[in-house]
């Protein structure tokens, strides 16, 4: 019997059982956001144990080269926030307990963005509003055809689903009030940790939070932040930076609302990525998150 598995185009380093080549045995799609598509996989090389989440740049077939480069850098920056800050045991603000509230990024396969891998220098260059992406030249090696990162796989469901807001079949297991209060407490700790790291998340919402270990007799409900795609450093000059890798498009439509984003970042004039105090964006998002978790 010949079994053929077609996982579709755009899956990097997929394992080929016939040629015994490739690293990742893909097990199915986990989710999709504005910037990436996430797949569940196993590492055939054995470097990473258990199930892994592979997040690949979301690119249209006819995407321009400059757009691909910008998306790859955003994914690179996203991984580095975890590797260099949130989960870096040598960081002066590192907290094991608070770091556990975030899905851990394990490997960055978006290419090398500088010869000496100086992250601050990379951001200074590529986050500049004056940077010409059409003039980009690889500093060390070409950008991979399908840039991706390997992440900790987080089982469970999104907070959005756990609150009963999806079209999934109702199973009668929506969060109770005690669980909601625990999630609020953990969300508070996660945002405090980001502030201690000097980071602004800008996408702190129910679809980017996973809940797990529900109804377990030995452990209580746990939360994980699973996306850092819009995260930037809380620096004053970033407030009005119009760089394509810093600014977000918050233009709302009838069926597309950004209720977690404060009104000032949606305004056309004056243009803002966030306002002061520096972490007010995430505080607004937190307030929006708390409202449906209150006992009514």
């Amino acid at each position: 019997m010949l079994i053929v598995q077609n996982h579709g185009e755009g899956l990097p380093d997929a394992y080929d059982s016939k040629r015994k080549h490739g690293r990742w045995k893909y097990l199915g799609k986990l989710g999709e956001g504005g910037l990436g598509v996430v797949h569940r996989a196993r590492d055939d090389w054995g470097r990473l144990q258990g199930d892994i989440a592979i997040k690949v740049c979301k690119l249209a077939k006819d995407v321009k080269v400059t757009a691909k480069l910008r998306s790859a850098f955003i994914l690179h920056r996203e991984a580095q926030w975890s590797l260099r800050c949130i989960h870096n045991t040598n960081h002066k603000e590192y907290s094991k307990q608070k770091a556990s509230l975030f899905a851990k990024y394990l490997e960055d396969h978006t290419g090398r963005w500088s010869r000496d891998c100086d992250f601050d220098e990379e951001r200074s260059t590529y986050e500049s509003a004056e940077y010409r992406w059409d003039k980009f030249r690889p500093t060390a090696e070409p950008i991979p055809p399908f840039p991706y990162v390997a992440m900790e796989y987080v089982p469970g469901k999104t907070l959005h689903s756990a609150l009963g807001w999806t079209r999934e079949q109702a199973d009668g297991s929506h969060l109770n009030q005690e669980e909601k209060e625990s999630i609020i407490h953990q969300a508070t700790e996660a945002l405090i940790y980001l502030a201690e790291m000097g980071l602004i998340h800008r996408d702190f919402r129910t679809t980017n939070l996973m809940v797990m270990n529900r109804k377990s007799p030995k452990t209580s409900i746990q939360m994980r932040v699973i996306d850092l795609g819009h995260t930037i450093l809380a620096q004053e000059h970033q407030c009005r930076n119009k760089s394509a890798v810093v600014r977000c498009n918050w233009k709302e439509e009838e069926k597309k609302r950004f209720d977690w984003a404060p009104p000032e970042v949606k305004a056309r004039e004056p243009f803002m990525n966030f306002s002061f105090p520096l972490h007010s964006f995430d505080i607004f998002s937190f307030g929006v998150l708390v409202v449906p978790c209150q006992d009514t």
Side-chain angles (χ1 to χ4, degrees), residues 240 242 264 266-272:
R240 300 184 187 276
K242 292 190 177 183
E264 62 267 19
K266 302 176 187 178
R268 297 259 180 190
E269 294 295 338
F271 168 79
M272 285 187 178

Side-chain angles (χ1 to χ4, degrees), residues 202-203 205 239-240 242 246-275 280-281 284-285 288:
R202 299 194 300 169
D203 207 16
R205 54 187 172 120
C239 176
R240 300 184 187 276
K242 292 190 177 183
V246 174
R247 67 183 301 179
C248 295
N249 180 17
W250 302 111
K251 184 179 180 180
E252 293 187 318
E253 302 171 1
E254 185 177 349
K255 295 184 179 180
K256 190 176 183 179
R257 299 294 180 184
F258 304 105
D259 60 346
W260 65 93
E264 62 267 19
V265 304
K266 302 176 187 178
R268 297 259 180 190
E269 294 295 338
F271 168 79
M272 285 187 178
N273 291 313
F274 56 86
S275 64
S280 60
F281 192 126
F284 182 93
S285 302
V288 173

Side-chain angles (χ1 to χ4, degrees), residues 28-89:
K29 181 178 173 181
L30 290 171
E32 180 176 349
L35 300 175
V37 182
V38 184
H39 304 270
R40 189 174 179 175
R42 289 281 181 100
D43 184 0
D44 186 64
W45 293 1
R47 290 182 181 176
L48 301 176
Q49 301 300 313
D51 288 355
I52 301 297
I54 302 294
K55 184 172 184 178
V56 189
C57 270
K58 184 179 179 181
L59 301 170
K61 290 185 178 180
D62 57 349
V63 68
K64 294 181 179 179
V65 174
T66 53
K68 177 180 178 179
L69 290 171
R70 290 195 297 266
S71 295
F73 176 74
I74 290 172
L75 187 59
H76 166 69
R77 180 181 59 193
E78 175 179 354
Q80 294 304 310
W81 291 138
S82 170
L83 295 168
R84 295 175 181 266
C85 299
I86 294 171
H87 295 101
N88 179 8
T89 57

Side-chain angles (χ1 to χ4, degrees), residues 17-257:
S17 58
K18 183 177 181 180
R19 296 181 176 84
K20 303 297 181 183
H21 180 268
R23 181 178 181 185
W24 304 108
K25 293 182 176 178
Y26 288 94
L27 305 174
K29 181 178 173 181
L30 290 171
E32 180 176 349
L35 300 175
V37 182
V38 184
H39 304 270
R40 189 174 179 175
R42 289 281 181 100
D43 184 0
D44 186 64
W45 293 1
R47 290 182 181 176
L48 301 176
Q49 301 300 313
D51 288 355
I52 301 297
I54 302 294
K55 184 172 184 178
V56 189
C57 270
K58 184 179 179 181
L59 301 170
K61 290 185 178 180
D62 57 349
V63 68
K64 294 181 179 179
V65 174
T66 53
K68 177 180 178 179
L69 290 171
R70 290 195 297 266
S71 295
F73 176 74
I74 290 172
L75 187 59
H76 166 69
R77 180 181 59 193
E78 175 179 354
Q80 294 304 310
W81 291 138
S82 170
L83 295 168
R84 295 175 181 266
C85 299
I86 294 171
H87 295 101
N88 179 8
T89 57
N90 293 320
H91 193 286
K92 63 178 182 179
E93 301 293 346
Y94 173 76
S95 163
K96 182 178 179 180
Q97 183 273 324
K98 292 177 182 176
S100 69
L101 298 170
F102 295 80
K104 187 175 184 179
Y105 289 65
L106 305 169
E107 295 179 0
D108 181 351
H109 296 277
T110 61
R112 288 186 60 187
W113 293 86
S114 64
R115 293 188 183 278
D116 57 1
C117 298
D118 187 309
F119 186 45
D120 290 333
E121 182 180 330
E122 289 171 359
R123 289 190 304 98
S124 177
T125 299
Y126 300 117
E127 290 183 347
S128 169
E130 289 72 40
Y131 184 75
R132 291 281 303 275
W133 285 94
D134 58 327
K135 302 295 184 182
F136 175 86
R137 296 293 181 274
T139 56
E141 57 193 46
I143 299 300
F146 301 108
Y148 75 96
V149 297
M151 302 172 59
E152 168 193 6
Y153 167 68
V154 181
K157 59 175 64 178
T158 65
L159 178 58
H160 201 80
S161 176
L163 288 169
W165 293 352
T166 64
R167 296 179 180 178
E168 298 174 2
Q169 183 177 356
D171 58 5
S173 61
H174 297 161
L175 297 180
N176 59 43
Q177 189 57 31
E178 182 180 352
E179 290 174 319
K180 290 178 181 179
E181 291 175 0
S182 178
I183 291 298
I184 291 174
H185 174 75
Q186 292 177 66
T188 303
E189 290 297 302
L191 288 178
I192 289 174
Y193 193 43
L194 288 177
E196 291 170 345
M197 290 283 177
L199 298 174
I200 305 175
H201 191 277
R202 299 194 300 169
D203 207 16
F204 203 82
R205 54 187 172 120
T206 55
T207 53
N208 285 334
L209 305 176
M210 294 289 291
V211 293
M212 52 192 290
N213 291 343
R214 294 193 64 204
K215 310 300 184 182
S216 172
K218 295 183 179 180
T219 57
S220 56
I221 188 171
Q222 292 180 301
M223 184 206 76
R224 293 284 189 283
V225 181
I226 58 172
D227 194 304
L228 299 171
H230 289 325
T231 303
I232 58 173
L233 203 63
Q235 297 172 311
E236 290 191 17
H237 73 271
Q238 296 285 46
C239 176
R240 300 184 187 276
N241 185 356
K242 292 190 177 183
S243 164
V245 299
V246 174
R247 67 183 301 179
C248 295
N249 180 17
W250 302 111
K251 184 179 180 180
E252 293 187 318
E253 302 171 1
E254 185 177 349
K255 295 184 179 180
K256 190 176 183 179
R257 299 294 180 184

